[in-house]
Amino acid sequence: MDKKSIIGIVLIGILFFGFTIYSSRQQQKYQEELAAYQAAHPELTQPVVPDSSAVAAASVVESLGAATPDSTRLAREVAVLGDFLAAAKNAAPQEIVVENDVMKVRFSTGGGIVRSVTLKDYTRYGRQGERNEPIEMFVPESAKFDLSFFIKNGLNNVKVNTSEYTFTADPVVRTDTAQIVRMRLPVAEGAALEYRYVVYDEATPSRDYLVDYTVRLVGMAPYMANQSSIGIAWSNTSYRNERGFKNENMYTTVAYRVPGEGSIDDLSMSEGAKEEKISSSVEWIAFKQQFFSSVLIARDDFLYADVAYDTASPDSGLIKAFSATMAVPYTAQTEQYDFSFYFGPNKYAVLKKIDDAQGQSLLLDRLIPMGWGIIGWVSRWLVIPVFDFLRQYIPSFGWIILILAILIKIIVSPLTYKSYISQAKMRIIKPEIDALNAKYPKQDDAMKKQQEMMALYKKAGINPLGGCIPMLIQLPILIAMFRFFPSSIELRGQSLWWAHDLSSYDSILNLPFSIPFYGDHVSLFALLMALSTFGFSYMSYQQTASAQPQMAGMKFMMVYMMPVFMLCWFNDYSSGLCYYYLLFNLLTIAQTFLIRRMVDDGKIHAVMEANANKAKNKKKSKFQLRYEELMRQQEAQSRSGKKGTKRK
């Protein structure tokens, strides 16, 4: 053994000996402090005699000195939590049922939570495909709402999760317009956490689907540990309510609103799991399904939020498991938090009336996906008002959709007429266009041909985009209807002929197998819509191909592929939407035939010649002269460049 090894062994021995002496002194010091603390708190070493607030604990054991596992556990809980929380931890929960005209709410004293909500006016699809079960907003066993904070216990801080304790409940207080449920979680003598729920019965949907929820910290300040926030964890799992899992899942997500924003955000659609951390303050969070939502509203905003969902399997009877973790600010002066729950339908007339404490809209109506920009404006200011007006006088949704389609066709008819006139003019000048194509067959003359083509259009009074612009203007209306029908709860459960639910697909034949990109059923409305699309596309092609030869190459895509694509796409979509597009196509075909009978190509030709004669005598503007000069210069440069290349 060399000198270095001996020195190393000696040093290790010295360190070990020193650590042993230090540990023994620390242990002695700890025992002295523990003895002093127990002398100051004799209740930790003696059997606890519960008072009236700890009856539940007294019923478990007669003395904490009993040598049983339960008594040992209870003694430990009392030592850590105190008499009151230990009693609440071991008490049996009970349920309280409150209902109004639109919903039944079941509360549980276990955690002081809303355990289940049943909507009375709506039913869901059962496993047998029949709509005979009332809407349950979430699976009762999955319901969780937990407040977490720290309280002081001697030298330690103890974390309290309200979901682990049983509250005590007062009798339900009934007034003319509401029912009030109060629950308390005693923390210490004269200190308690109090929940107050208010279920309204005002025959006003925007109030009756709301449950106001107030959290009061009664005498809690002396017992609260030093902390800047109180945590909130909210989660539940929602049932599958609609006929098609894929379509319902597409509209099911977690949505939220940042205060002051004019729109809302969400996690978007996914067939798996998704999560997001929101570092800014949040006004409300919604567990949103296609037609129903559970919303938690913070009247003074959350500090932040972490939201997530996980998609269930299609055959589970469930749709998604939602979760949200938030926090609210806390100071020693905090006495109360005000929240509200919304458990109800995604109905525009109801959601748009829910305001904040200052009377400003919470924008809960944005939970209904109506589109962005001009598309959303068309939905909110045209489609929905007309739809709601017609519903007041017409009971049949088939007639309502037909009248809506006719009204929209009347509104856009000037654009359709203008588009047809533009196409008619193109047909009339087609011989002259063919002559220009024959005159300039070479690519080198493309610029000159284009110049003469524009001169021809101008002489005939034709805007080359005249046939496209009117159709583009109609596009927002078509997209608005595409967004409106699948998300309109008014269509839910409404039947029309063979379709039993206009909000879902209609099926006249269930296939024993699934066809890729199509599905396992045959939707007759989707099939009829595709056939009408074929008829309209064929007629449009015949009309435009004669005037615009470049359209000939689009025949396969326009006439054949488009209807097939629409059939596969809409087979799982709302039958009400397919019915509307079917009517729209049929009305467009009828309108086109009517315009053809009204419009005389000969008269249009005469007007075009008169305009051309006027254009000859009209002096060209400076812009036109400069444009023509620029075109000549570009053509000259192009030719000189090509000649130079050939010489080289």
Side-chain angles (χ1 to χ4, degrees):
M1 184 178 296
D2 58 8
K3 183 178 180 180
K4 291 182 180 180
S5 299
I6 295 173
I7 293 174
I9 293 173
V10 171
L11 289 175
I12 292 173
I14 293 173
L15 290 173
F16 179 77
F17 182 72
F19 178 76
T20 303
I21 295 174
Y22 175 78
S23 298
S24 62
R25 290 181 178 177
Q26 289 294 110
Q27 181 68 20
Q28 182 180 358
K29 183 179 179 181
Y30 170 76
Q31 293 295 337
E32 291 174 355
E33 290 180 353
L34 180 62
Y37 183 74
Q38 289 177 342
H41 299 80
E43 68 275 10
L44 298 180
T45 58
Q46 298 177 2
V48 175
V49 180
D51 56 15
S52 58
S53 65
V55 175
S59 64
V60 179
V61 290
E62 294 182 359
S63 171
L64 293 179
T68 64
D70 286 344
S71 64
T72 302
R73 176 183 57 81
L74 187 56
R76 188 181 301 112
E77 290 176 354
V78 170
V80 174
L81 302 172
D83 295 339
F84 294 88
L85 287 177
K89 200 174 184 69
N90 293 278
Q94 64 181 30
E95 290 191 347
I96 303 167
V97 179
V98 175
E99 56 184 299
N100 56 22
D101 291 340
V102 296
M103 65 180 179
K104 178 189 291 185
V105 184
R106 182 176 287 106
F107 298 93
S108 173
T109 58
I113 65 171
V114 176
R115 182 168 174 79
S116 70
V117 178
T118 304
L119 303 185
K120 296 182 177 181
D121 296 334
Y122 301 95
T123 55
R124 61 183 288 263
Y125 282 94
R127 289 185 176 273
Q128 303 302 321
E130 298 180 357
R131 282 188 42 179
N132 52 10
E133 300 179 14
I135 288 289
E136 293 282 350
M137 291 302 298
F138 44 83
V139 180
E141 293 76 17
S142 71
K144 178 183 177 182
F145 192 88
D146 178 64
L147 265 63
S148 59
F149 52 90
F150 290 88
I151 61 173
K152 294 181 287 189
N153 184 5
L155 300 178
N156 300 317
N157 291 336
V158 178
K159 186 177 183 180
V160 176
N161 293 93
T162 57
S163 60
E164 300 175 358
Y165 300 91
T166 299
F167 288 59
T168 59
D170 294 343
V172 177
V173 177
R174 301 178 185 274
T175 67
D176 293 338
T177 58
Q179 300 174 66
I180 302 171
V181 177
R182 282 191 178 91
M183 291 184 271
R184 291 183 180 85
L185 176 62
V187 175
E189 188 69 40
L193 186 70
E194 181 181 285
Y195 287 176
R196 181 177 182 267
Y197 293 97
V198 181
V199 179
Y200 295 92
D201 197 1
E202 299 181 359
T204 304
S206 59
R207 292 293 289 172
D208 292 350
Y209 285 113
L210 279 178
V211 178
D212 282 346
Y213 168 51
T214 302
V215 178
R216 296 185 62 226
L217 307 178
V218 181
M220 290 281 290
Y223 301 94
M224 295 289 283
N226 185 22
Q227 55 201 306
S228 60
S229 63
I230 292 179
I232 301 175
W234 179 39
S235 63
N236 62 50
T237 300
S238 294
Y239 290 106
R240 172 183 168 185
N241 294 320
E242 311 309 323
R243 188 176 188 179
F245 177 87
K246 181 179 179 181
N247 197 49
E248 182 180 4
N249 182 58
M250 184 169 61
Y251 290 93
T252 302
T253 185
V254 178
Y256 60 91
R257 186 196 179 203
V258 174
E261 293 290 333
S263 60
I264 69 173
D265 297 290
D266 59 50
L267 296 189
S268 72
M269 192 276 290
S270 173
E271 296 182 357
K274 215 163 191 181
E275 63 181 32
E276 182 178 346
K277 295 183 181 296
I278 310 163
S279 57
S280 62
S281 58
V282 177
E283 189 171 30
W284 52 258
I285 294 172
F287 296 164
K288 174 191 172 299
Q289 294 179 254
Q290 184 176 5
F291 292 115
F292 306 95
S293 291
S294 299
V295 187
L296 175 60
I297 305 166
R299 296 300 179 178
D300 293 312
D301 302 337
F302 301 109
L303 292 174
Y304 63 85
D306 297 339
V307 295
Y309 67 70
D310 192 8
T311 306
S313 60
D315 57 350
S316 65
L318 308 173
I319 190 73
K320 271 181 168 59
F322 301 102
S323 64
T325 303
M326 303 80 72
V328 289
Y330 172 78
T331 66
Q333 290 73 40
T334 302
E335 296 182 350
Q336 180 173 305
Y337 297 102
D338 293 316
F339 305 96
S340 292
F341 286 102
Y342 174 83
F343 300 111
N346 296 338
K347 194 171 185 178
Y348 182 79
V350 175
L351 294 175
K352 73 175 182 178
K353 294 180 180 179
I354 300 177
D355 301 328
D356 61 15
Q358 289 73 40
Q360 299 295 319
S361 174
L362 290 171
L363 299 186
L364 287 178
D365 57 287
R366 302 301 171 90
L367 289 171
I368 305 172
M370 296 183 185
W372 45 267
I374 189 173
I375 296 171
W377 298 342
V378 170
S379 296
R380 293 182 182 90
W381 302 109
L382 174 63
V383 178
I384 291 178
V386 172
F387 194 82
D388 289 342
F389 174 78
L390 294 175
R391 285 185 60 214
Q392 298 177 18
Y393 305 100
I394 303 174
S396 171
F397 278 82
W399 283 106
I400 291 175
I401 296 174
L402 173 60
I403 294 173
L404 186 64
I406 293 174
L407 289 175
I408 291 177
K409 287 304 298 182
I410 292 174
I411 292 173
V412 301
S413 59
L415 301 176
T416 306
Y417 180 80
K418 188 173 182 180
S419 176
Y420 182 86
I421 294 298
S422 178
Q423 292 174 0
K425 290 180 178 180
M426 292 294 291
R427 286 199 308 271
I428 292 172
I429 66 169
K430 184 177 181 299
E432 297 177 60
I433 294 176
D434 292 341
L436 285 176
N437 290 329
K439 182 179 179 181
Y440 301 105
K442 297 181 180 180
Q443 187 65 28
D444 296 345
D445 299 324
M447 190 172 294
K448 192 168 185 179
K449 181 175 71 173
Q450 182 67 22
Q451 187 177 355
E452 293 195 22
M453 194 84 73
M454 294 302 295
L456 176 62
Y457 287 154
K458 182 181 177 182
K459 182 179 71 173
I462 296 175
N463 181 355
L465 299 178
C468 301
I469 292 177
M471 297 303 296
L472 291 176
I473 295 175
Q474 296 181 57
L475 196 59
I477 297 178
L478 294 176
I479 298 177
M481 304 307 294
F482 175 80
R483 303 301 297 265
F484 171 74
F485 281 103
S487 58
S488 175
I489 196 171
E490 288 82 1
L491 296 179
R492 194 175 185 272
Q494 299 295 329
S495 61
L496 176 66
W497 301 326
W498 59 85
H500 302 294
D501 185 353
L502 289 175
S503 70
S504 181
Y505 63 84
D506 62 296
S507 177
I508 59 169
L509 178 64
N510 292 321
L511 303 176
F513 50 85
S514 180
I515 301 175
F517 306 107
Y518 181 70
D520 58 359
H521 63 274
V522 177
S523 169
L524 183 55
F525 270 128
L527 183 60
L528 293 175
M529 183 269 296
L531 291 175
S532 67
T533 301
F534 171 78
F536 171 68
S537 299
Y538 185 79
M539 185 182 67
S540 298
Y541 171 78
Q542 294 292 332
Q543 183 173 318
T544 56
S546 60
Q548 302 178 35
Q550 63 270 25
M551 292 295 295
M554 297 292 293
K555 180 178 181 180
F556 179 76
M557 288 296 299
M558 182 177 176
V559 178
Y560 300 108
M561 283 302 297
M562 179 60 72
V564 173
F565 174 75
M566 296 289 282
L567 176 62
C568 295
W569 188 10
F570 282 84
N571 194 56
D572 281 328
Y573 264 74
S574 160
S575 54
L577 178 64
C578 295
Y579 173 59
Y580 172 80
Y581 280 160
L582 168 64
L583 294 175
F584 187 86
N585 287 337
L586 295 178
L587 290 171
T588 303
I589 292 172
Q591 187 181 50
T592 303
F593 278 117
L594 180 62
I595 293 175
R596 281 183 179 180
R597 294 183 64 87
M598 293 172 56
V599 174
D600 186 348
D601 287 2
K603 291 182 179 180
I604 295 177
H605 196 187
V607 172
M608 291 171 62
E609 288 181 346
N611 291 335
N613 292 330
K614 290 180 182 179
K616 288 180 181 178
N617 301 324
K618 188 176 180 181
K619 186 178 179 181
K620 293 183 179 180
S621 65
K622 292 182 179 180
F623 175 78
Q624 290 175 321
L625 294 173
R626 290 178 61 186
Y627 177 75
E628 291 178 0
E629 179 62 25
L630 180 63
M631 294 291 290
R632 283 193 292 268
Q633 290 177 3
Q634 289 181 348
E635 185 176 359
Q637 290 176 1
S638 176
R639 289 182 176 179
S640 62
K642 290 180 179 179
K643 288 181 179 179
T645 303
K646 289 180 179 179
R647 289 174 183 175
K648 291 180 181 180

